[in-house]
Amino acid sequence: MFQKLLIANRGEIAVRIIRACREMGIRTVAVYSEADREALHTQLADEAICIGPAPAKESYLDMERILSAAVVSHAQAIHPGFGFLSENSRFAQACESCGIAFVGPRAKMIQEMGNKAQARKTMMKAKIPVIPGTREPVLTVEEAELRAKEIGYPVMIKASSGGGGKGMRIAAGEEELRDKFLTAQMEARAAFGDDTMYLEKYVSNPRHVEVQILADQYGNTVYLGNRDCSVQRSHQKVVEEAPCTAISDDTARRMGETAVRAAKAVHYVNAGTVEFLVDAEENYYFMEMNTRIQVEHPVTEMITGLDLIKEQIRIAAGEPLSIAQEDIKLTGHAIECRVNAEDPDRKFLPCPGTISYMYLPGGCGVRVDSAVYPGYTIPPYYDSMIVKLIAWGQDRQEALAKMHSALGEVVMDGIKTNVDFLYRILEHPVFREGKADTNFIEQYVQQTV
Ligand code: MV4
């Protein structure tokens, strides 16, 4: 096992990784920017190295500075967390070249799954169900028109290098295709420097259900149930839960087995997430594979009793999985709410500032993953998520009750947060009945300012 690990991240996930390492007896090295001198991860790690100015490009995204920090501190492994360099194949490759273990899959895997059109083609070859659409990339508007006619309208136009909804458009009919295709393609070129597109049949009011998998270097692959992440706004997840209660046990089992088949088809190693789009008839289709640990991993930890960060580190150190599929028992229900420093009344604009006073909930079945404390100043340079509240109950109703109670205890003075917005989601009858799909927030909760 590693003696020392560097965390190439900040915020609550950096703290989460430091805690897992401490329990495993692994010494930790934090890296921090000039804006993060007072950050919790900087203070909690065994060592901390300043890697540059506040802008992420000059610190948390600077591969050379991070690798230098790993070399001078003799770290044997780097955990990238999520965001930043976590899905950068060049960074994973650079770690491999320096003889430092990257806690994640191989660089080639990150690259393959990062290209959505290629991932789709790979999964089609492996007979994984994908959304009906093109097999080959679409490069011109003429070709798009031809393919869209074959697929049948409405169609979804997507960018190969996309994700998070960028370079994505719906074309309701033939008359819209040209404009939508060209603007989506332009957006993709500007955002990713890659304007390769693909088309899919549009699935209306789907759910976003994802399957957590773990795979070791010896071909053992398991799935850890699923998460329903349908409650999103502007392609940002807001509330996540495990398991999805809108699908039957049979569908959940088949989806889990499909995810394992998908991971095995590409010889996937480490923790990963297979994202599915699920329609009203419980048909599920492969959408993307995420090659990182995800923000919402705690809900899976709550229903499985496993520590996903520890599993990731063990896998990266070459250890076999500690569990087989038959050992995995899903118990109860978990919900996560993302508390952001933002103003829901001003289009959810980030609201950094100083927390003059704060109180966070606790109690039976309530977990808080955060990196903030009273007197802490949230810097304006990074993501606005400051706290993750996670509640576990014997069933969904109990988890909901615990989350509702926990939200009521939150005090966050000095800054604006989305806590009241989270309340509105939790109290909405459509959400309470478990009927929220990906259009839920826009349709029922979002304020129009
Ligand atoms: C879709 C879709 C409907 N039909 N594809 C959004 C982000 C990207 N990962 C894929 N997305 C979607 N792809 C087809 N063929 C609807 C969405 C979508 C969505 C998906 C998951 C969660 C929230 C969403 C919100 C809007 C649209």
Side-chain angles (χ1 to χ4, degrees):
M1 181 43 69
F2 310 121
Q3 273 103 51
K4 204 188 244 190
L5 178 147
L6 181 143
I7 299 107
N9 214 303
R10 63 180 304 283
E12 62 84 21
I13 190 62
V15 171
R16 168 77 187 84
I17 297 163
I18 291 168
R19 286 173 175 156
C21 288
R22 189 145 291 148
E23 290 172 39
M24 296 172 85
I26 300 170
R27 277 175 293 145
T28 53
V29 182
V31 292
Y32 64 97
S33 74
E34 286 167 11
D36 275 342
R37 291 191 184 284
E38 308 300 325
L40 197 58
H41 79 285
T42 306
Q43 301 186 53
L44 284 186
D46 297 316
E47 294 169 42
I49 301 175
C50 185
I51 50 166
K57 268 207 157 73
E58 298 171 63
S59 47
Y60 299 107
L61 287 171
D62 191 316
M63 301 187 215
E64 282 186 33
R65 287 170 191 239
I66 290 170
L67 283 167
S68 300
V71 170
V72 301
S73 63
H74 303 288
Q76 297 146 314
I78 296 183
H79 196 306
F82 45 68
F84 294 123
L85 295 169
S86 62
E87 290 181 284
N88 186 312
S89 59
R90 283 182 299 123
F91 182 62
Q93 183 57 58
C95 290
E96 285 177 33
S97 304
C98 292
I100 295 168
F102 177 81
V103 182
R106 299 291 299 269
K108 199 164 156 282
M109 185 74 55
I110 298 175
Q111 188 179 8
E112 265 182 42
M113 292 299 123
N115 183 320
K116 313 299 172 197
Q118 192 182 335
R120 181 179 154 80
K121 193 171 164 180
T122 302
M123 293 308 164
M124 283 169 104
K125 275 189 195 154
K127 299 202 158 51
I128 303 295
V130 300
I131 303 167
T134 53
R135 191 185 183 92
E136 301 296 329
V138 176
L139 301 161
T140 66
V141 69
E142 290 76 21
E143 199 186 339
E145 282 175 327
L146 216 70
R147 298 286 161 252
K149 203 169 228 163
E150 291 169 4
I151 296 164
Y153 288 95
V155 297
M156 201 73 156
I157 304 158
K158 294 185 179 181
S160 292
S161 300
K166 251 201 195 129
M168 197 176 85
R169 291 286 187 287
I170 304 166
E174 207 168 357
E175 64 290 345
E176 280 189 11
L177 187 85
R178 194 172 191 92
D179 258 32
K180 295 278 177 93
F181 182 85
L182 291 171
T183 50
Q185 195 172 36
M186 239 163 27
E187 199 173 295
R189 169 167 285 269
F192 318 113
D194 170 17
D195 64 359
T196 313
M197 311 299 285
Y198 61 105
L199 303 183
E200 288 174 355
K201 179 86 185 164
Y202 173 69
V203 181
S204 68
N205 293 63
R207 280 183 187 254
H208 170 129
V209 184
E210 56 185 36
V211 176
Q212 178 72 55
I213 63 115
L214 284 177
D216 66 20
Q217 296 174 18
Y218 311 100
N220 304 303
T221 306
V222 298
Y223 71 93
L224 308 178
N226 60 54
R227 300 185 284 257
D228 189 333
C229 306
S230 299
V231 178
Q232 308 193 3
R233 70 161 290 282
S234 308
H235 301 294
Q236 291 288 324
K237 293 167 186 163
V238 182
V239 178
E240 305 102 335
E241 41 189 314
C244 171
T245 52
I247 57 173
S248 69
D249 289 351
D250 182 59
T251 303
R253 184 185 47 75
R254 285 187 294 110
M255 200 185 299
E257 288 169 4
T258 303
V260 168
R261 247 189 343 107
K264 283 192 168 175
V266 295
H267 304 289
Y268 193 87
V269 176
N270 215 286
T273 301
V274 184
E275 289 186 3
F276 293 99
L277 211 57
V278 182
D279 70 15
E281 284 81 47
E282 293 190 29
N283 297 306
Y284 60 85
Y285 307 97
F286 170 88
M287 202 160 47
E288 293 177 17
M289 179 153 192
N290 299 318
T291 57
R292 60 174 190 280
I293 191 74
Q294 291 190 272
V295 176
E296 60 272 25
H297 76 274
V299 292
T300 297
E301 295 183 326
M302 299 295 265
I303 64 161
T304 59
L306 291 168
D307 184 319
L308 291 179
I309 304 292
K310 286 188 192 169
E311 293 297 335
Q312 279 195 297
I313 295 170
R314 288 193 198 110
I315 292 166
E319 292 185 12
L321 287 186
S322 64
I323 28 107
Q325 192 64 54
E326 57 268 26
D327 303 328
I328 296 159
K329 294 276 174 289
L330 307 183
T331 310
H333 193 90
I335 303 178
E336 174 179 274
C337 283
R338 298 188 188 190
V339 178
N340 300 330
E342 64 186 15
D343 186 355
D345 294 331
R346 284 192 214 157
K347 298 179 173 175
F348 297 86
L349 202 76
C351 285
T354 300
I355 301 169
S356 54
Y357 175 79
M358 64 172 254
Y359 177 80
L360 291 174
C364 182
V366 176
R367 167 174 168 183
V368 179
D369 280 19
S370 104
V372 296
Y373 53 85
Y376 176 66
T377 300
I378 300 156
Y381 305 97
Y382 317 109
D383 195 87
S384 64
M385 187 180 74
I386 53 168
V387 174
K388 298 192 310 206
L389 292 178
I390 306 107
W392 179 91
Q394 296 284 347
D395 53 28
R396 185 169 187 265
Q397 221 180 347
E398 190 183 37
L400 276 172
K402 282 183 194 277
M403 181 59 81
H404 194 264
S405 168
L407 276 174
E409 287 188 33
V410 174
V411 179
M412 197 62 71
D413 290 345
I415 58 161
K416 289 224 159 63
T417 73
N418 65 336
V419 168
D420 289 346
F421 180 70
L422 291 167
Y423 246 119
R424 286 213 300 284
I425 292 169
L426 242 65
E427 290 180 350
H428 200 284
V430 170
F431 180 78
R432 296 196 76 82
E433 285 163 30
K435 300 229 163 74
D437 59 36
T438 50
N439 297 106
F440 168 72
I441 287 189
E442 218 179 356
Q443 205 172 342
Y444 298 106
V445 197
Q446 190 128 22
Q447 289 173 309
T448 34
V449 184

